[in-house]
């Protein structure tokens, strides 16, 4: 028997087995349970057939410390297929939560996002990533029989850029009456340091991801990608999305990448290239700060506009690329510390791309964390290493009140504890969002393709959904998707890792 006939025979056998059970079941138990058996049998046959798909070769998955680690390798279509297949249950679950959030905030239906993905984003995606996205759909469908299609997955990949960048721009263009209050997000606290600032004089990089807890509790994938072309990648990420998207990653040529989002950014270029594609391409193909800058600028659509914090472990140089749409600026140094907490610093970017941002309001979350980063990094100059970086990500000093308190102004954000919320991002009082996980690495670790990562609040605190929803019924719409977010331990991950090793 060839492999394919053996496979076909197995499917027929399973199918007949199911039919026999159904026949037997029909006479003794309810038709409903017999039908369940039938459905399960067909699903098993489908999964069995998919398991033998040659595209799955080399892909693997295990769980540790609250993270799901997946290794993906090969041609773009195979990387996608492995991604879709290995993370199928998580993709379906994340898609439900994310799409509900996108529709809720924008007051647009899902068909609107599918159309934007199909007509505006898809034609400008390089063939390599089109194949990977197509692969995700095929792997997902093979595993679960999912009804999600390519337009769904492309729109889902753009969840950081379509609702909060494209839609407000479109509402303005179309002079939409009673348009919802949409603001670009303010994701993350991060820094990169080098030279006399760090303990060993080499680069240290750390980042915690700020987002809604609804999405953030699902942001717990470690992707180890060995693509056929480009560099090896180790990054954190979201199920079903081809870029890291909160952006923390390293590649085998020595580039270290993270970012924080530019608060109150406004603008969108419908002719540009999706940010999630440029960000993934940058991590896969850039071997230097210059390469990375070039890739991010090529087709810049303004989506998910970030202050990129970069390091090149080959040279010890770090950089900050403040990527507006109308303006941008690149700073670089071999001796310094560059921090981010969602504030733009270049006067031209502030003027042209963030017209509403007030850099002088010391009480806002971005500026209060800016002050805390400045103080904390200076205090620890010459001592910064990965262990210290982990502690900094869990810092609870409020630079405005000058006290320890969890709220929206601490590096480890807990906006659910703040009666102020964050108005700059349209986060209403007690918004269930904040720091949802953290990562750190340094040049020596990056050379061996290793990172540290912790799920949940980087301070180790837990978020409990039920008491929160009972106290804040205004967020009841999130109830189907909002779950407890328990912190895990700081856990090391590296390329080529397998379970328990
Ligand atoms: Zn905390």
């Amino acid at each position: 028997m060839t492999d394919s006939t053996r496979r076909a025979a197995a499917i027929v056998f399973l199918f007949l087995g199911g039919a026999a059970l159904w026949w037997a079941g029909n006479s003794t138990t309810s038709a409903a349970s017999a039908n369940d058996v039938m459905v399960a049998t067909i699903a098993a046959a489908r999964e069995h057939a998919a398991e033998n798909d040659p595209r799955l070769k080399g892909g693997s998955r295990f769980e540790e410390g609250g993270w799901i680690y997946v290794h993906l390798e090969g041609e773009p279509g195979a990387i996608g297929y492995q991604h879709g297949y290995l993370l199928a249950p998580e993709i379906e679950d994340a898609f439900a939560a994310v799409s509900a959030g996108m529709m809720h905030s924008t007051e647009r239906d899902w068909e609107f996002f599918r159309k934007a993905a199909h007509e505006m984003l898809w034609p400008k995606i390089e063939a390599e990533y089109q194949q990977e996205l197509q692969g995700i759909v095929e792997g997902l469908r093979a595993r679960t029989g999912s009804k999600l299609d390519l337009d769904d997955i492309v729109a889902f990949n753009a969840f950081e850029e379509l609702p909060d960048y494209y839609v407000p721009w479109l509402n303005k263009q179309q002079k939409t009456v009673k348009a919802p209050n949409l603001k670009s997000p303010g994701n993350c606290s991060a820094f990169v340091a080098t030279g006399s600032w760090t303990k060993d004089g080499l680069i240290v990089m750390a980042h915690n991801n700020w987002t809604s807890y609804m999405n953030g509790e699902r942001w717990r994938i470690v992707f180890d990608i060995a693509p056929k072309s480009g560099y090896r990648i180790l990054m954190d990420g979201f199920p079903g999305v081809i870029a890291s998207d909160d952006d923390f990653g390293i590649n085998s040529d020595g580039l270290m990448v993270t970012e924080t989002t530019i608060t109150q950014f406004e603008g969108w270029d419908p002719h540009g290239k999706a940010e999630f594609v440029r960000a993934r391409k940058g991590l896969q193909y850039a071997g230097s700060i210059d390469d990375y800058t070039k890739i991010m600028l090529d087709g810049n659509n303004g989506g998910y506009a970030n202050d990129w914090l970069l390091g090149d472990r080959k040279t010890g140089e770090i950089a900050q690329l403040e990527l507006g749409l109308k303006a941008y600026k690149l700073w670089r140094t071999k001796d310094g510390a560059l921090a981010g907490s969602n504030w733009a610093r270049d006067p031209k970017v502030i003027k042209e791309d963030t017209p509403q941002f007030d850099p002088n309001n010391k009480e806002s979350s971005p500026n209060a964390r800016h002050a805390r980063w400045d103080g904390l990094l200076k205090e620890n100059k010459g001592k910064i290493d990965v262990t210290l970086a982990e502690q900094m990500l869990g810092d609870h000093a409020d630079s405005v009140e000058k006290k320890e308190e969890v709220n929206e102004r601490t590096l480890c954000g807990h906006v659910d504890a703040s009666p102020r919320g964050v108005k700059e991002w349209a986060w209403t009082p007690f918004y269930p969002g904040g720091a949802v996980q953290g990562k750190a690495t340094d040049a020596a670790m990056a050379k061996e393709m290793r990172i540290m990562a912790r799920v949940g609040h980087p301070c180790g605190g837990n978020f409990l959904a039920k008491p929160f929803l009972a106290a804040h019924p205004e967020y009841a719409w999130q109830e189907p998707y909002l779950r407890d977010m328990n912190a895990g331990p700081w856990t090391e991950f590296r390329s080529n890792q397998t379970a328990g090793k």
Side-chain angles (χ1 to χ4, degrees):
M1 261 199 235
T2 65
D3 257 7
S4 63
T5 53
R6 193 174 297 130
R7 211 149 57 224
I11 294 166
V12 169
F13 177 77
L14 278 165
F15 189 81
L16 291 175
L21 275 170
W22 178 79
W23 177 255
N26 224 10
S27 55
T28 51
T29 58
S30 74
S33 74
N35 188 52
D36 289 349
V37 171
M38 185 65 138
V39 168
T41 307
I42 293 168
R46 186 187 56 237
E47 254 197 74
H48 184 79
E51 264 170 27
N52 289 311
D53 192 297
R55 285 174 291 183
L56 270 184
K57 191 167 176 280
S60 62
R61 162 186 169 141
F62 67 89
E63 297 185 27
E64 194 176 321
W67 294 88
I68 300 168
Y69 178 107
V70 288
H71 170 81
L72 315 175
E73 67 175 52
E75 303 272 357
I79 286 177
Y81 191 86
Q82 291 159 27
H83 183 166
Y85 186 89
L86 295 169
L87 292 173
E90 288 79 16
I91 293 172
E92 297 237 42
D93 169 66
F95 177 85
V98 163
S99 59
M102 288 165 78
M103 291 186 282
H104 181 87
S105 68
T106 60
E107 298 168 15
R108 303 269 181 167
D109 63 14
W110 187 248
E111 198 48 43
F112 166 84
F113 291 106
R114 286 172 48 86
K115 192 166 175 270
H118 186 87
E119 292 175 2
M120 179 171 55
L121 302 181
W122 178 256
K124 288 151 221 143
I125 299 176
E126 282 100 333
E128 169 173 2
Y129 301 116
Q130 286 189 343
Q131 288 160 20
E132 187 169 325
L133 290 158
Q134 181 68 47
I136 292 175
V137 176
E138 288 168 20
L140 171 66
R141 289 182 158 205
R143 174 85 178 275
T144 63
S146 171
K147 297 278 186 293
L148 297 179
D149 66 14
L150 190 57
D151 293 342
D152 292 322
I153 293 297
V154 175
F156 173 54
N157 267 262
F159 79 88
E160 287 291 358
E161 51 198 303
L162 288 178
D164 297 328
Y165 295 81
Y166 170 56
V167 177
W169 172 85
L170 188 69
N171 284 340
K172 220 170 172 179
Q173 296 279 310
Q174 299 179 336
K175 302 191 168 51
T176 306
V177 183
K178 288 188 199 155
N181 178 25
L182 294 168
K183 299 277 188 226
S184 59
N187 294 355
C188 319
S189 302
F191 77 86
V192 60
T194 192
S196 62
W197 288 75
T198 64
K199 200 173 174 179
D200 65 3
L202 304 175
I203 298 171
V204 177
M205 178 176 85
H207 174 270
N208 67 33
N209 173 7
W210 284 47
T211 182
S212 67
Y213 297 152
M214 185 171 88
N215 292 350
E217 186 270 333
R218 293 162 166 90
W219 218 305
R220 54 187 194 99
I221 313 296
V222 174
F223 285 100
D224 173 36
I225 310 178
K228 187 159 175 269
S229 5
Y231 303 117
R232 184 73 176 252
I233 295 170
L234 186 67
M235 66 185 196
D236 78 318
F238 200 76
V241 175
I242 66 169
S244 165
D245 231 26
D246 68 322
D247 298 301
F248 187 90
I250 55 177
N251 76 26
S252 56
D253 200 47
L255 201 70
M256 303 163 73
V257 176
T258 193
E259 48 85 352
T260 76
T261 310
I262 301 175
T263 291
Q264 289 172 307
F265 176 91
E266 292 175 33
W268 177 267
D269 180 355
H271 307 293
K273 216 186 274 186
E275 191 275 347
F276 75 85
V277 174
R278 289 178 292 120
R280 165 57 188 279
K281 190 178 173 185
L283 194 55
Q284 185 172 342
Y285 287 99
S288 68
I289 289 163
D290 289 319
D291 285 353
Y292 194 84
T293 303
K294 205 170 144 200
I295 291 170
M296 292 309 290
L297 282 169
D298 177 29
N300 181 11
N301 69 344
Y304 200 24
N306 288 314
D307 261 295
W308 293 91
L309 300 176
L310 309 168
D312 182 345
R313 68 162 164 76
K314 301 188 297 297
T315 61
E317 189 176 32
I318 59 170
Q320 178 172 359
L321 170 62
E322 191 160 278
L323 187 60
L325 181 59
K326 296 181 183 131
Y328 77 93
K329 174 136 183 161
L330 180 71
W331 296 268
R332 50 204 304 169
T333 179
K334 286 186 179 175
D335 188 17
L338 298 165
S341 58
N342 319 113
W343 79 91
R345 58 187 269 216
D346 178 54
K348 196 162 179 236
V349 171
I350 293 175
K351 186 162 176 269
E352 298 188 8
D353 289 309
T354 70
Q356 293 186 49
F357 180 65
D358 177 2
N360 300 313
N361 172 12
K362 289 189 169 57
E363 300 197 352
S364 73
S365 168
N367 296 333
R369 283 181 293 135
H370 182 179
R372 180 56 183 159
W373 267 140
D374 284 354
L376 192 59
L377 291 167
K378 214 177 246 172
E379 246 170 64
N380 290 289
K381 189 177 178 189
K383 290 185 280 190
I384 300 168
D385 62 7
V386 168
T387 309
L388 203 52
E390 290 170 359
Q391 288 167 24
M392 289 177 178
L393 295 179
D395 186 75
H396 288 166
D398 177 341
S399 66
V400 176
E401 301 280 344
K402 309 264 185 270
K403 63 176 183 187
E404 294 278 314
E405 180 188 84
V406 291
N407 61 40
E408 85 286 14
R409 297 191 288 234
T410 47
L411 294 177
C412 179
H414 297 246
V415 186
D416 55 304
S418 169
R420 297 174 293 267
V422 184
K423 67 174 188 325
E424 291 82 0
W425 314 329
W427 281 18
T428 40
F430 305 106
Y431 183 86
V436 296
Q437 37 99 313
K439 293 85 45 190
T441 191
D442 64 15
M445 289 178 72
K447 195 170 184 186
E448 296 165 356
M449 295 296 282
R450 293 188 289 132
I451 60 170
M452 298 300 295
R454 177 181 216 171
V455 291
H457 285 300
C459 62
N462 295 332
F463 168 79
L464 301 174
K466 215 171 170 183
F468 172 82
L469 288 167
H472 302 287
E474 65 273 28
Y475 296 107
W477 72 271
Q478 294 194 7
E479 200 267 324
Y481 314 105
L482 188 67
R483 294 193 291 234
D484 292 350
M485 187 176 78
N486 294 318
W490 279 104
T491 308
E492 183 181 294
F493 293 102
R494 61 177 193 277
S495 277
N496 258 340
Q497 194 172 343
T498 48
K501 283 179 194 157

